[in-house]
Amino acid sequence: MINPRKVERLLNSPIQFDIDTALKRGWELFKAQPLILIAYFLIVAIVQFGATYFLEDFSSIVSILVAPPLTAGFYLVANKISRNERVEFQDCFDGFKFWLPVVSVNIISGIITVLGVIALIIPGIYLGVAYAFAMPFVLFAGTEFWTSMELSRKLITKVWWRFFAFVLLLVVINIIGLLFLGVGFLVSGPFSYMAVYAAFEELTGDLLIEDEPENSLPTSQF
């Protein structure tokens, strides 16, 4: 569990978000395991497009129940790469170990965002961007869905416009990837997840680093 004092300190302190740093770090994470990430992204794309084509009216079930843990897999792999841990292809599917919390946070944040769009559109855009770290908080802080959503919202709100520009830039990168006969999307897609994780690491700082246990007082010598 995250340290409440660290959370308070982070949210009450000015923070900086360097888009260039997040993109460069995201690219480094991608380059560390390009074959695994591309292969996994291809599987995710096949599952999602296959569900849309074959299941038709029931494709939303896949989006709600299967897509979130598949997305979580990218962040979990990014975390392992960042920690210099060995990564194997099956690690990509570890998101299913967190099935209930990631599905819950995805459903609730999605509903609130849609309600925001219905209300005045602008609140929906704000929340859609502000909840970008809700899933990473669930995965790496162990917080329940509402706390994760609020931590994400409060943190990103401090740099909302810069983060919004970051998201738009990733959208442009993926559009360019699609224009290259879709082949470039196999790189831009997983890279985008790595970049979002890199941004998450940059903005959370030492928040998720476990505190060292305090050493016990030395025994008195007589």
Side-chain angles (χ1 to χ4, degrees), residues 48-160:
Q48 293 182 330
F49 286 117
T52 301
Y53 184 79
F54 292 106
L55 297 181
E56 298 180 351
D57 294 339
F58 297 98
S59 61
S60 59
I61 296 177
V62 174
S63 298
I64 295 172
L65 302 180
V66 179
L70 289 176
T71 298
F74 286 107
Y75 298 135
L76 292 168
V77 168
N79 179 259
K80 295 198 73 169
I81 296 173
S82 180
R83 294 162 61 116
N84 294 317
E85 296 180 2
R86 177 173 177 163
V87 176
E88 298 181 353
F89 186 68
Q90 58 264 32
D91 295 332
C92 298
F93 299 93
D94 282 350
F96 286 94
K97 297 177 181 178
F98 302 87
W99 184 84
L100 183 58
V102 298
V103 168
S104 298
V105 76
N106 190 67
I107 291 174
I108 302 302
S109 62
I111 290 174
I112 295 177
T113 300
V114 169
L115 291 176
V117 171
I118 293 174
L120 288 171
I121 298 181
I122 293 177
I125 296 174
Y126 160 72
L127 291 173
V129 174
Y131 287 151
F133 290 160
M135 185 178 292
F137 270 117
V138 165
L139 294 171
F140 306 117
T143 46
E144 47 83 29
F145 69 85
W146 184 253
T147 300
S148 298
M149 289 163 57
E150 280 296 281
L151 285 173
S152 177
R153 184 185 65 79
K154 291 177 180 179
L155 181 60
I156 291 179
T157 294
K158 296 171 70 68
V159 291
W160 193 90

Side-chain angles (χ1 to χ4, degrees), residues 27 30 38 41 174 182-192:
W27 183 245
F30 173 77
I38 289 175
F41 183 76
N174 281 285
V183 177
F185 190 48
L186 294 177
V187 173
S188 65
F191 159 70
S192 296

